[in-house]
Amino acid sequence: DIDYDNGERETFIKADLIKSRRHKQVDEDLVDDEMDRLRRKIQTAIEDKGMDFLECFEHFDRDYSGEIDEREFQDGLRRIGIDLTRDEARSMMDRFPSRRRGRISYRAFVKGLRLRRTTDNTAEVEQLLRDELRRLAEGRSGRMNYSRLFDEFDRDGSGDIDRREFRKGLEQMRVNLSSRDVGRVMERFDRNGDG
């Protein structure tokens, strides 16, 4: 501070204090750029690596709760090379159309990233799977026993085969499909549309 003879006073603030205050504020342009980068990375994973929306969502939702919390989101960003502060990650989360602050549902994840579905013909995959299921269901007498095969897939005995049970059953059969193909094949085999 400088005091003048006429009673006026002038105050100076150190430059490093200004920098530290400015640093604490969220750089919205950076967050927008990183949101675009996240969108591109996930779209690339879908198109080039054969991942589906759910698999991309589960990259973040590590506890499989059906929602991504702040810690999961920031950790997931780091794993794909996007390093943001907690405040920046929180600001990015706020860009998702979520009902609960600090949480991103699957629907909000897909909607917020404006992901596009790619179309592939899964007819060949379906036919290979049908042939393998027929082979496994065929009993020693030559009769088909699909109920035994269904029971092997239905691990929890619920009478329904969910996506995870379907994938596990395929893995046991040594049928390796991408998550996208698993989802598409499951949609084709799911006659009543209940998953």
Side-chain angles (χ1 to χ4, degrees):
D1 290 350
I2 298 176
D3 291 322
Y4 294 101
D5 290 335
N6 64 2
E8 291 184 23
R9 173 180 244 171
E10 197 170 337
T11 303
F12 294 94
I13 300 175
K14 291 183 177 181
D16 57 338
L17 284 176
I18 293 172
K19 286 179 186 174
S20 69
R21 286 184 185 154
R22 202 177 299 145
H23 180 69
K24 288 183 181 178
Q25 293 177 345
V26 173
D27 183 349
E28 295 298 328
D29 290 335
L30 170 72
V31 173
D32 287 339
D33 291 344
E34 294 299 344
M35 185 73 167
D36 289 338
R37 191 167 156 217
L38 173 63
R39 185 177 294 112
R40 284 190 309 273
K41 281 183 175 255
I42 290 180
Q43 195 66 51
T44 298
I46 291 167
E47 292 170 0
D48 297 346
K49 297 178 183 172
M51 296 172 72
D52 64 7
F53 295 169
L54 182 62
E55 190 172 14
C56 292
F57 178 79
E58 287 175 345
H59 168 82
F60 291 91
D61 183 25
R62 299 301 260 200
D63 64 0
Y64 300 106
S65 65
E67 291 183 317
I68 302 168
D69 64 32
E70 290 179 3
R71 181 185 267 342
E72 288 174 321
F73 188 68
Q74 191 170 13
D75 290 347
L77 290 173
R78 268 201 196 103
R79 283 192 304 276
I80 60 174
I82 298 175
D83 195 23
L84 297 176
T85 67
R86 174 180 275 150
D87 290 338
E88 290 165 341
R90 189 175 295 132
S91 178
M92 186 184 281
M93 283 186 82
D94 289 342
R95 286 166 169 71
F96 289 88
S98 187
R99 293 183 183 153
R100 295 178 56 197
R101 184 165 170 77
R103 303 238 178 235
I104 302 171
S105 67
Y106 172 72
R107 175 180 235 130
F109 180 79
V110 173
K111 191 173 185 180
L113 290 174
R114 299 187 302 270
L115 298 174
R116 300 180 313 273
R117 290 200 185 273
T118 58
T119 56
D120 284 335
N121 185 0
T122 58
E124 185 179 325
V125 173
E126 288 175 36
Q127 190 57 49
L128 289 170
L129 184 57
R130 285 180 197 276
D131 293 344
E132 184 65 11
L133 290 173
R134 269 191 210 102
R135 186 185 71 73
L136 291 172
E138 190 173 343
R140 292 180 194 175
S141 64
R143 294 177 44 202
M144 299 298 212
N145 186 354
Y146 288 108
S147 62
R148 181 185 56 80
L149 187 59
F150 182 89
D151 290 342
E152 287 182 33
F153 273 78
D154 183 23
R155 295 178 174 271
D156 63 3
S158 66
D160 294 315
I161 299 172
D162 64 28
R163 182 186 178 101
R164 288 175 203 231
E165 289 173 323
F166 188 61
R167 183 174 197 90
K168 282 284 190 199
L170 292 176
E171 287 171 3
Q172 281 187 325
M173 294 169 33
R174 291 180 172 58
V175 174
N176 296 318
L177 298 177
S178 70
S179 289
R180 180 176 19 177
D181 287 339
V182 168
R184 288 182 178 159
V185 170
M186 191 162 176
E187 285 173 11
R188 295 279 296 148
F189 284 108
D190 184 17
R191 302 226 170 161
N192 63 1
D194 65 355

